[in-house]
Amino acid sequence: GGWQLVLETPDAHKTAATFGPARTTLCAPIVAPLEAYLEAAGLLDSQAAPSQPFIFSAGSDLSQPPSPSAWTRLVQATFHRHAGVKLAPKEVRSAFVTWLRSSEQSDETLRAAALALRHSSKMQKSAAYDKGSSDQLIAAAVDVTRAFAASVSA
């Protein structure tokens, strides 16, 4: 029941092509703002059901989802309008995983996030998402070098 993110058609979404079809129920904190948006846009009928199959559609064709490039432009424009920065979906995903990894979450939470984001735990552990580990590994050497440089320049 409820609102679902449906990624079932392999040729329509790379996640479905790689990881197989999926349906994910939207969590409660997302539903209220989503329904408020749909109501304001006139896209919600009186039974709180969408008046079209896709919330975001391909231009004026309400029966088709947006292309991947159109979706990226929509996400970028939304972030630009509200935060002044154009972030693509992959950048948002990367920032979220980086935040998770840097906030010392449990392995169980990291595995759940990898599953939810439809990528492998191996990918999630890669340098692409682990922005702080290199800094942590060399921190002691940097501190000693900084102290030595300060003593020489003093």
Side-chain angles (χ1 to χ4, degrees):
W3 293 91
Q4 295 184 339
L5 175 62
V6 179
L7 302 173
E8 292 182 335
T9 309
D11 61 338
H13 195 277
K14 68 181 182 179
T15 299
T18 304
F19 292 95
R23 284 181 173 255
T24 304
T25 301
L26 296 182
C27 59
I30 299 295
V31 172
L34 173 64
E35 289 182 351
Y37 162 79
L38 292 171
E39 187 174 340
L43 301 173
L44 198 65
D45 70 20
S46 59
Q47 283 78 39
S51 60
Q52 61 192 47
F54 299 99
I55 293 171
F56 302 101
S57 58
S60 61
D61 185 356
L62 303 180
S63 69
Q64 295 297 314
S67 69
S69 60
W71 174 250
T72 296
R73 287 191 304 274
L74 174 66
V75 171
Q76 287 175 323
T78 301
F79 270 97
H80 188 256
R81 181 172 54 250
H82 294 285
V85 178
K86 289 183 177 181
L87 289 176
K90 67 180 183 177
E91 294 166 320
V92 176
R93 287 168 51 109
S94 179
F96 177 67
V97 173
T98 299
W99 172 79
L100 276 177
R101 291 193 49 78
S102 66
S103 63
E104 300 181 15
Q105 299 298 320
S106 70
D107 287 343
E108 180 182 353
T109 298
L110 294 173
R111 280 191 302 274
L115 179 65
L117 294 171
R118 307 291 191 261
H119 59 75
S120 68
S121 294
K122 182 179 177 181
M123 171 60 84
Q124 187 172 339
K125 291 178 183 175
S126 74
Y129 293 117
D130 194 0
K131 307 292 186 200
S133 70
S134 179
D135 290 345
Q136 292 170 353
L137 290 172
I138 66 170
V142 170
D143 289 345
V144 168
T145 305
R146 184 181 299 121
F148 175 74
S151 70
V152 172
S153 63

